[in-house]
Amino acid sequence: MAGRAVKIAEVASAAGVGVGTVSRVLNGSPQVRDETRKRVLAVIQQLGYRPSRLASGLALGATRSVAVLVPFMTRPSVVGRLAGIVAVLDAEGFDCVVCNIETAEQRDRHLRGFADLHRVDGMLVVSIPLHQGQVDAIAATGLPLVLVDADAPGVPRVVIDNVAGGMLATDHLLALGHRRIAFIGDTSRRGMGFLSNARRLEGYRRALRAAGVTPAPELVRRGPHGGAVAGSIALDLLQRDDAPTAIFAASDTQAAGVLQAAKKVGCRVPRDLSVIGFDDVETAELLGLSTIRQPLARSGELGARMLCSLIRGDPVPAGRTTLPLELVRRTSTAELVTRSRAPTLVSAS
Amino acid sequence: MAGRAVKIAEVASAAGVGVGTVSRVLNGSPQVRDETRKRVLAVIQQLGYRPSRLASGLALGATRSVAVLVPFMTRPSVVGRLAGIVAVLDAEGFDCVVCNIETAEQRDRHLRGFADLHRVDGMLVVSIPLHQGQVDAIAATGLPLVLVDADAPGVPRVVIDNVAGGMLATDHLLALGHRRIAFIGDTSRRGMGFLSNARRLEGYRRALRAAGVTPAPELVRRGPHGGAVAGSIALDLLQRDDAPTAIFAASDTQAAGVLQAAKKVGCRVPRDLSVIGFDDVETAELLGLSTIRQPLARSGELGARMLCSLIRGDPVPAGRTTLPLELVRRTSTAELVTRSRAPTLVSAS
DNA sequence: ATGAAAGCGCTAACAG
DNA sequence: CTGTTAGCGCTTTCAT
């Protein structure tokens, strides 16, 4: 069937023209007589000629492809960003090479690997903190780099203000009269030092202090990311005598776990407990979960668009581009009502 | 900084060897004196030499990359498969080019595009039905092809038995005494003719018939995929006089919507309503949703592994490889109890 | 408008 | 063990 691959020279001689002309036809150059073009096209069709991407790439010095590094690619928030990236790259005609980074080893290997010449035309790093040394190494190769949901001085990047987000969530609960507010976040994994979580916690603390509430250490909990884990943390929290009246979970996935835990112990949301999440993924809407919405897909689209510009040599906003956050109030948060058990101590400063 | 790229010839002369030797060092050939190797490596290091992927690929006739076509990449079930694929390809040293296919136009464009010579070494099509003509066209190019969760005669593929899955779910509900069982599935979108849903429905019908129950047309509903839509369908169903006592949703996402709808109308699960889903994604566990588990990640891993074998020229199981399904019983299904409202008519044949 | 020829940077076969 | 050389298939001046 598929005989030896037919190459441009064969097309050329079969059409009675030079390879140059065939190449011009292939690339839509206007300077080819219409008749000639037709003839060449016909031959291409007939011979089943398919150009070699590798060869043209080598001649052109570009791959028309981009690398995207993401951590934990099964998390809805990451998928949301990735979807935005993939859509833009597709529209811009770039192939999108996706790498899932679960360990520091993988991160380092791929960071090095994509620095290879002519492997990709640019790189997008999503939600993975980079050391200065890593950034410098990439810069030294001249590989265009854009960060999404990660910070590193001097690199074009699109981020959100996680501290502000933490404050937004906490302020919402405070405004509803809550004072015993717990925080459930996740521990950064495998030595990659993820920071968004810590920042949201920082926002939580700041908001409490600003409201004159002393953050209670026993109400700040962290564990491996995941709904189930968050649920069991919540369970523990809710069974205390001085249980919180509200919980701020650092992601919707974790908030969903909290909701489930509440249900399990007969704690009614939002009557007995207010819960707020972060991200606004699909589940949040489905569960009626109040949350802090961040534009996930848009962050990906924006980052991808910036990278494309960088590759083309077009100007790009230097440094950080910050996307807006928004409180989405649904039915998981409500005003504090005095609970049926012993009145809760309010810790005020 | 990044001066003109240094190429292999410069490394060779700087190290006082021929380019052949440098190439051998690069590719870990054993037939290089250790001392020579060290010298070359040192020069490479010092000059900051980075090999050109494009050039070596052209010489080798391979790209070391694979295309993956997926539909609706934000759906958890798809992400699960994709994660499996990405993991295996990474381990095997292939770059994974991901395309999200939302329309028939995108599907056709990419199917054609990846047939280009030397663009990728192989292609993985996930959950997208292919016409015979499309399969033939790809076969004619000689591009290695593997299907995951899709069927097409003659192509190596990994699938599940959706009919059996539908029966498994329905039988579970029947065994619990339910007779008025509704089905909520989704309509195939944008002319791509997805079939899993129809097959699950077919399984539902077969199981009912086998149990002597006549499928009630008014209990079979389909709508665009998504939790919210499924929820409103369920709402409608539950407000009927002859509401179903159990609902089989063709995906966990839709089942989650059903759960939410039930809650909204004060219908208690599983006391007043049993609900079963399909897939077993993370949410299912979190919600205590009974479901039919299919090995999502594993299907991706297997498919990817098969493709790698195909590329290497190793033998691969011909035709279809069917993965097992499993009923996972959680807390959303229970034995039928007579409901408080007017006794439900049981339709039996 | 088009043909000829010089790369693009690497690998592998061949000769030593 | 190692140097030399001929491709890999396309793009692009440079003439004409």
Side-chain angles (χ1 to χ4, degrees):
Chain A
M1 323 271 117
R4 206 190 79 287
V6 21
K7 45 192 69 163
I8 200 170
E10 307 173 33
V11 175
S13 69
V17 301
V19 293
T21 301
V22 179
S23 174
R24 275 166 271 226
V25 169
L26 251 27
N27 299 293
S29 158
Q31 41 181 25
V32 177
R33 213 190 329 162
D34 221 48
E35 185 203 341
T36 315
R37 177 191 313 282
K38 283 209 180 75
R39 186 151 35 97
V40 172
L41 251 16
V43 174
I44 286 178
Q45 184 66 41
Q46 178 195 336
L47 261 46
Y49 166 74
R50 299 172 298 140
S52 159
R53 200 64 171 219
L54 241 29
S56 74
L58 182 55
L60 251 24
T63 62
R64 302 288 309 165
S65 73
V66 159
V68 180
L69 271 48
V70 300
F72 318 123
M73 67 170 276
T74 50
R75 294 190 192 169
S77 60
V78 173
V79 172
R81 293 200 159 88
L82 192 52
I85 291 171
V86 165
V88 168
L89 291 181
D90 185 42
E92 299 267 9
F94 284 95
D95 280 354
C96 176
V97 177
V98 175
C99 285
N100 187 23
I101 306 290
E102 300 276 355
T103 67
E105 183 277 328
Q106 282 185 312
R107 177 199 58 196
D108 296 340
R109 179 163 51 82
H110 282 124
L111 244 26
R112 255 197 313 277
F114 284 115
D116 274 3
L117 210 51
H118 297 160
R119 177 150 174 214
V120 292
D121 295 344
M123 183 159 65
L124 218 29
V125 174
V126 181
S127 303
I128 303 173
L130 257 35
H131 306 309
Q132 189 59 48
Q134 297 170 320
V135 169
D136 291 344
I138 297 167
T141 69
L143 183 72
L145 172 69
V146 169
L147 268 34
V148 173
D149 187 40
D151 239 324
V155 183
R157 56 200 188 279
V158 14
V159 299
I160 56 164
D161 185 338
N162 282 297
V163 175
M167 293 181 65
L168 210 52
T170 311
D171 280 338
H172 173 54
L173 298 173
L174 285 166
L176 292 171
H178 296 277
R179 289 300 176 270
R180 281 198 68 78
I181 302 174
F183 173 92
I184 299 182
D186 51 64
T187 46
S188 71
R189 280 211 300 188
R190 295 173 239 211
M192 290 206 276
F194 299 103
L195 292 173
S196 343
N197 237 271
R199 298 241 170 80
R200 290 172 198 175
L201 174 55
E202 166 66 13
Y204 157 88
R205 288 195 169 119
R206 272 203 217 166
L208 288 183
R209 287 208 194 87
V213 177
T214 306
E218 73 276 14
L219 294 188
V220 172
R221 303 292 184 88
R222 313 182 74 171
H225 188 274
V229 174
S232 68
I233 292 179
L235 225 50
D236 181 60
L237 240 22
L238 293 174
Q239 284 163 343
R240 302 173 58 99
D241 278 344
D242 56 350
T245 66
I247 298 182
F248 167 30
S251 74
D252 287 344
T253 302
Q254 291 169 299
V258 172
L259 252 28
Q260 206 56 24
K263 191 174 171 186
K264 204 171 297 174
V265 296
C267 170
R268 311 189 54 170
V269 173
R271 185 197 174 74
D272 306 328
L273 177 75
S274 281
V275 179
I276 187 166
F278 205 109
D279 288 339
D280 196 29
V281 300
E282 195 199 344
T283 309
E285 189 189 353
L286 208 62
L287 297 178
L289 181 68
S290 295
T291 193
I292 303 301
R293 169 184 298 162
Q294 67 165 314
L296 293 169
R298 200 143 61 79
S299 73
E301 292 162 6
L302 217 63
R305 220 163 273 136
M306 286 170 55
L307 183 59
C308 292
S309 297
L310 223 45
I311 292 173
R312 286 196 215 92
D314 293 346
V316 154
R320 146 187 329 175
T321 298
T322 305
L323 261 29
L325 295 174
E326 182 188 353
L327 168 68
V328 177
R329 184 166 179 189
R330 297 207 178 89
T331 56
S332 68
T333 47
E335 220 154 284
L336 174 68
V337 297
T338 310
R339 308 166 70 204
S340 49
R341 13 175 157 180
T344 300
L345 254 329
V346 172
S347 42
S349 76
Chain B
M1 320 268 120
R4 207 186 83 286
V6 21
K7 47 193 69 164
I8 200 171
E10 307 173 31
V11 175
S13 70
V17 301
V19 292
T21 300
V22 179
S23 175
R24 274 168 275 229
V25 170
L26 250 26
N27 299 292
S29 159
Q31 42 181 23
V32 177
R33 212 193 327 164
D34 221 48
E35 183 203 340
T36 315
R37 176 191 314 281
K38 282 210 180 75
R39 184 151 36 97
V40 172
L41 252 17
V43 174
I44 286 177
Q45 183 67 40
Q46 179 195 335
L47 261 46
Y49 166 75
R50 300 172 299 142
S52 159
R53 198 68 166 214
L54 242 27
S56 75
L58 182 56
L60 251 23
T63 62
R64 300 291 308 168
S65 72
V66 159
V68 180
L69 270 48
V70 301
F72 318 123
M73 66 169 279
T74 50
R75 294 190 193 168
S77 60
V78 173
V79 172
R81 293 200 159 87
L82 192 52
I85 291 170
V86 164
V88 168
L89 290 182
D90 185 42
E92 299 268 9
F94 285 95
D95 279 356
C96 176
V97 176
V98 175
C99 285
N100 187 23
I101 305 291
E102 299 277 356
T103 68
E105 182 279 327
Q106 280 184 312
R107 176 198 58 198
D108 297 339
R109 179 163 49 83
H110 282 124
L111 243 27
R112 256 197 313 279
F114 284 116
D116 276 2
L117 210 51
H118 296 159
R119 175 148 175 217
V120 292
D121 295 344
M123 184 159 64
L124 218 30
V125 174
V126 181
S127 303
I128 303 174
L130 257 32
H131 305 311
Q132 189 59 48
Q134 297 170 320
V135 169
D136 291 344
I138 297 167
T141 69
L143 183 71
L145 172 69
V146 170
L147 268 34
V148 173
D149 187 42
D151 237 325
V155 183
R157 57 201 187 277
V158 14
V159 300
I160 57 165
D161 185 339
N162 281 296
V163 175
M167 293 181 66
L168 209 52
T170 311
D171 280 338
H172 172 55
L173 298 172
L174 285 165
L176 291 171
H178 297 275
R179 288 300 176 269
R180 280 198 68 78
I181 301 174
F183 173 90
I184 298 182
D186 51 63
T187 46
S188 72
R189 281 212 299 188
R190 297 173 237 210
M192 288 207 276
F194 298 102
L195 293 172
S196 341
N197 237 270
R199 298 242 170 78
R200 290 172 198 174
L201 173 56
E202 166 67 12
Y204 157 88
R205 288 195 169 118
R206 272 201 218 170
L208 287 183
R209 287 207 194 88
V213 178
T214 306
E218 74 274 14
L219 294 187
V220 172
R221 303 292 183 88
R222 312 182 75 172
H225 187 274
V229 174
S232 66
I233 293 178
L235 225 49
D236 180 60
L237 240 23
L238 293 174
Q239 284 163 342
R240 300 174 59 98
D241 278 345
D242 56 350
T245 65
I247 297 181
F248 166 29
S251 73
D252 288 342
T253 302
Q254 292 170 298
V258 173
L259 253 27
Q260 206 57 24
K263 191 174 172 188
K264 206 171 296 174
V265 296
C267 171
R268 310 190 53 170
V269 173
R271 184 197 175 74
D272 308 326
L273 177 75
S274 280
V275 179
I276 187 167
F278 205 107
D279 288 339
D280 196 28
V281 299
E282 196 199 343
T283 309
E285 190 190 353
L286 207 61
L287 297 178
L289 181 68
S290 293
T291 193
I292 303 302
R293 170 184 299 163
Q294 68 165 313
L296 293 169
R298 200 144 61 81
S299 74
E301 292 161 8
L302 218 62
R305 220 165 272 135
M306 286 170 55
L307 184 59
C308 293
S309 296
L310 224 44
I311 292 173
R312 286 196 214 93
D314 292 347
V316 154
R320 150 189 324 175
T321 298
T322 304
L323 262 28
L325 296 174
E326 182 189 353
L327 168 69
V328 178
R329 184 166 179 190
R330 296 207 177 89
T331 55
S332 67
T333 48
E335 221 156 283
L336 175 68
V337 297
T338 310
R339 303 167 71 204
S340 46
R341 15 175 156 180
T344 301
L345 253 329
V346 173
S347 42
S349 74

